[in-house]
Amino acid sequence: MEQYNLPKIEIECEEFTDHTDSFFKYPRHEYHFANGYGASVVHNKYSYGLELAVVKHNKKTGSWDLDYESGITDDVIGYINGKEELEKILIRISNL
């Protein structure tokens, strides 16, 4: 089985969660920021390399839903080149 590097970024956030539900078995990290935005980060055989999706807190349901209107990206950001690039994107999201 291939190994996929899913780095944990040490960044100030309201909540960090580590899931194993991406395609029912792969790790997924979620970062939730005080501004109501966050990120879901995966790296597995189904993803575009190290991949990030912007999420936004839905106050009505309490869930964190995919968001394509944040100005960060209108899709997912795939093929992120390592921990430093991932951290820069997370900082941009935390500053929205």
Side-chain angles (χ1 to χ4, degrees):
M1 185 168 150
E2 289 183 60
Q3 292 290 60
Y4 298 97
N5 180 24
L6 185 57
K8 180 181 178 190
I9 304 300
E10 298 300 328
I11 185 171
E12 188 174 321
C13 57
E14 293 288 297
E15 180 180 37
F16 171 83
T17 53
D18 187 1
H19 303 272
T20 56
D21 62 357
S22 183
F23 291 96
F24 306 105
K25 64 180 177 180
Y26 295 104
R28 177 174 62 87
H29 291 168
E30 269 201 28
Y31 300 83
H32 300 159
F33 301 108
N35 62 3
Y37 285 94
S40 175
V41 182
V42 297
H43 191 189
N44 59 58
K45 70 180 182 178
Y46 302 106
S47 66
Y48 298 107
L50 182 56
E51 176 184 299
L52 176 147
V54 177
V55 295
K56 187 174 183 180
H57 188 248
N58 183 324
K59 292 178 182 168
K60 290 181 184 175
T61 65
S63 64
W64 288 83
D65 302 328
L66 293 175
D67 183 90
Y68 300 113
E69 298 176 0
S70 66
I72 300 291
T73 181
D74 60 359
D75 198 352
V76 298
I77 300 173
Y79 305 108
I80 297 169
N81 190 15
K83 195 171 183 173
E84 293 79 19
E85 185 178 347
L86 177 58
E87 185 172 13
K88 287 178 184 177
I89 298 166
L90 289 172
I91 289 168
R92 286 181 56 211
I93 295 168
S94 73
N95 287 331
L96 285 172

